[in-house]
Amino acid sequence: GEDVEQSLFLSVREGDSSVINCTYTDSSSTYLYWYKQEPGAGLQLLTYIFSNMDMKQDQRLTVLLNKKDKHLSLRIADTQTGDSAIYFCAESPLNQAGTALIFGKGTTLSVSS
Amino acid sequence: DAGVTQSPTHLIKTRGQQVTLRCSPKSGHDTVSWYQQALGQGPQFIFQYYEEEERQRGNFPDRFSGHQFPNYSSELNVNALLLGDSALYLCASSFYGRVTYEQYFGPGTRLTVT
């Protein structure tokens, strides 16, 4: 079945790099996404990667994809206290009917100054 | 450019009652998806509407139903509320023809069932 798994917590110091990992199960997923959720808020789309890419960089964010191992990671360079939030990995399995997103349980990133 | 909007922000209902949540998609988007996020969990897909029809459905009972209007806005209805329906309900909009399937989320409606 479909399942996305993430480590639950990550704690880093301000200025360090953060790496959040995710594994997914559906090899048909063409796009993989990272969302950020701050307390009491909805989800903010951070970035996404197409399945035929290995890496995508967007300012402080770097996404790495290992399709063979179905492993996705999000690296945040120069992590700031404002980056403290829950980060969700999501896949979109290929489905002619629609484009449902399957989310992991989220990784809580705590940044200390 | 207004993003995805949802109403109400918070709602308290009693077990057995019915509730309707509303969503207006981002300008230019024609597809609306609904997700349920229980406390401490990731969002779970309920269903997706495009061209006023339910196109895809997740593993939710028939008590959950929806509707999409000609202006692309959408409603989520939940009948016979259970305590376990307490959650944050998120609406996401997207443009069906766009291959990247980016979904943009609203702030959510927090439903509490007592």
Side-chain angles (χ1 to χ4, degrees), chain B residues 6-13 17-23 34 47 63-69 73-81 89 109-111 113:
Chain B
Q6 292 186 244
S7 63
T9 306
H10 295 91
L11 206 50
I12 300 174
K13 289 286 189 179
Q17 286 188 316
Q18 178 263 345
V19 69
T20 297
L21 310 182
R22 295 176 177 83
C23 171
W34 286 92
F47 42 54
R63 298 187 297 108
F64 289 77
S65 63
H67 188 78
Q68 186 179 34
F69 298 95
S73 67
S74 176
E75 287 182 350
L76 163 66
N77 300 292
V78 187
N79 294 323
L81 284 166
Y89 287 85
T109 294
R110 173 74 59 189
L111 172 65
V113 182

Side-chain angles (χ1 to χ4, degrees), chain A residues 10 21 30 37 39 48 57 67 71 87 94 102 105 109:
Chain A
L10 177 64
N21 295 300
T30 52
Q37 187 175 38
Y48 59 88
Q57 189 152 1
K67 196 172 180 182
H71 183 266
Y87 290 80
L94 189 65
I102 309 299
K105 292 186 177 181
L109 174 64

Side-chain angles (χ1 to χ4, degrees), chain A residues 33 35 37 48 98-99 101, chain B residues 35 37 48 56 100 102-103:
Chain A
Y33 306 83
Y35 283 86
Q37 187 175 38
Y48 59 88
T99 55
L101 294 178
Chain B
Y35 294 81
Q37 186 179 21
Q48 184 176 79
Q56 192 179 8
T100 55
E102 296 162 46
Q103 295 188 22

Side-chain angles (χ1 to χ4, degrees), chain A residues 36-44 84-86 88, chain B residues 6 9-10 37 39 88-90 106-110:
Chain A
K36 175 184 179 183
Q37 187 175 38
E38 298 186 59
L43 274 69
Q44 175 193 353
S84 293
I86 304 175
F88 292 96
Chain B
Q6 292 186 244
T9 306
H10 295 91
Q37 186 179 21
L39 202 60
L88 180 68
Y89 287 85
L90 295 162
T109 294
R110 173 74 59 189

Side-chain angles (χ1 to χ4, degrees), chain B residues 51-107:
Chain B
E51 290 188 329
E52 302 179 48
E53 289 187 9
E54 183 183 291
R55 296 287 175 161
Q56 192 179 8
R57 188 179 183 93
N59 190 22
F60 279 81
D62 292 344
R63 298 187 297 108
F64 289 77
S65 63
H67 188 78
Q68 186 179 34
F69 298 95
N71 67 353
Y72 308 121
S73 67
S74 176
E75 287 182 350
L76 163 66
N77 300 292
V78 187
N79 294 323
L81 284 166
L82 303 174
L83 296 179
D85 295 332
S86 294
L88 180 68
Y89 287 85
L90 295 162
C91 167
S93 75
S94 53
F95 180 59
Y96 196 80
R98 186 160 184 182
V99 71
T100 55
Y101 308 139
E102 296 162 46
Q103 295 188 22
Y104 293 88
F105 284 78

Side-chain angles (χ1 to χ4, degrees), chain B residues 15-50:
Chain B
R15 193 170 44 184
Q17 286 188 316
Q18 178 263 345
V19 69
T20 297
L21 310 182
R22 295 176 177 83
C23 171
S24 290
K26 183 177 165 66
S27 177
H29 285 181
D30 57 9
T31 301
V32 173
S33 304
W34 286 92
Y35 294 81
Q36 180 196 66
Q37 186 179 21
L39 202 60
Q41 302 294 314
Q44 288 207 302
F45 175 75
I46 304 175
F47 42 54
Q48 184 176 79
Y49 277 84
Y50 169 65

Side-chain angles (χ1 to χ4, degrees), chain A residues 14-77:
Chain A
E14 195 173 21
D16 288 349
S17 291
S18 307
V19 179
I20 302 171
N21 295 300
C22 166
T23 56
Y24 62 98
T25 56
D26 196 318
S27 56
S28 75
S29 291
T30 52
Y31 285 92
L32 297 141
Y33 306 83
W34 285 102
Y35 283 86
K36 175 184 179 183
Q37 187 175 38
E38 298 186 59
L43 274 69
Q44 175 193 353
L45 176 62
L46 289 177
T47 187
Y48 59 88
I49 188 167
F50 186 48
S51 59
N52 71 351
M53 298 170 64
D54 298 324
M55 183 182 86
K56 179 179 180 182
Q57 189 152 1
D58 186 358
Q59 299 182 336
R60 292 191 298 122
L61 305 179
T62 302
V63 179
L64 294 178
L65 174 61
N66 181 329
K67 196 172 180 182
K68 174 176 169 289
D69 294 337
K70 298 192 184 72
H71 183 266
L72 183 73
S73 68
L74 174 69
R75 177 177 179 270
I76 306 172

